[in-house]
Amino acid sequence: MDDLIEAAREIQSAAHVPYSGYRVGAALEVADGSVYVGCNLENANYSNSLHAEEVAISKAVTAGQRDFVRIAVSSNRRDGVTPCGMCRQTLAEFCDDDLVVVCDEGDGEPPTEYTLGELLPRPIDREMLE
């Protein structure tokens, strides 16, 4: 199994999901080989919840990292979960279209890989805001 998928699976145990029970883990690899992990943190009003990808990105950014290589996402259901639209847009703030997104399909199944550009073909960017 891919080490990045394994890291995404392992961090799921730290998730705070008292409402949905849907644990998500993300593992973000940066250019120097370091990996930053995150898990989802639910809040009773849901809109204040944090997604696993957001947590991993914020850990990397606060550590001074900006050169992301790939991200793996896994849920406790092993259902091939992909980053949501909000997380895709956050990734696009820091990454090019060629960022590899690895999605866990479950034991015995190869992970599905996408590029960020495939998942989010037209992100909102600096040029759109000017």
Side-chain angles (χ1 to χ4, degrees):
M1 178 187 332
D2 184 292
D3 289 343
L4 210 58
I5 290 281
E6 184 62 32
R9 285 182 176 185
E10 287 177 8
I11 194 61
Q12 288 174 32
S13 64
H16 176 74
V17 291
Y19 309 104
S20 73
Y22 189 71
R23 295 177 179 278
V24 178
L28 178 63
E29 181 182 358
V30 300
D32 71 5
S34 299
V35 174
Y36 296 85
V37 294
C39 58
N40 55 328
L41 308 169
E42 289 180 351
N43 186 289
N45 76 355
Y46 283 111
S47 66
N48 287 1
S49 296
L50 296 175
H51 298 191
E53 301 91 332
E54 293 177 295
V55 174
I57 293 164
S58 72
K59 285 180 175 180
V61 169
T62 57
Q65 300 285 354
R66 299 282 196 288
D67 193 5
F68 304 160
V69 176
R70 61 188 184 132
I71 189 167
V73 185
S74 176
S75 80
N76 58 323
R77 295 185 188 157
R78 307 293 192 262
D79 55 4
V81 65
T82 64
C84 74
M86 180 177 67
C87 291
R88 294 173 192 191
Q89 181 63 50
T90 301
L91 285 163
E93 183 70 21
F94 298 99
C95 307
D96 293 329
D97 287 350
D98 61 352
L99 175 78
V100 176
V101 180
V102 182
C103 302
D104 188 1
E105 299 290 346
D107 293 329
E109 297 293 325
T112 302
E113 290 190 6
Y114 303 94
T115 64
L116 182 58
E118 289 174 308
L119 294 175
L120 186 66
R122 297 199 58 210
I124 298 169
D125 60 15
R126 180 181 300 272
E127 292 173 4
M128 288 181 139
L129 298 178
E130 293 176 349

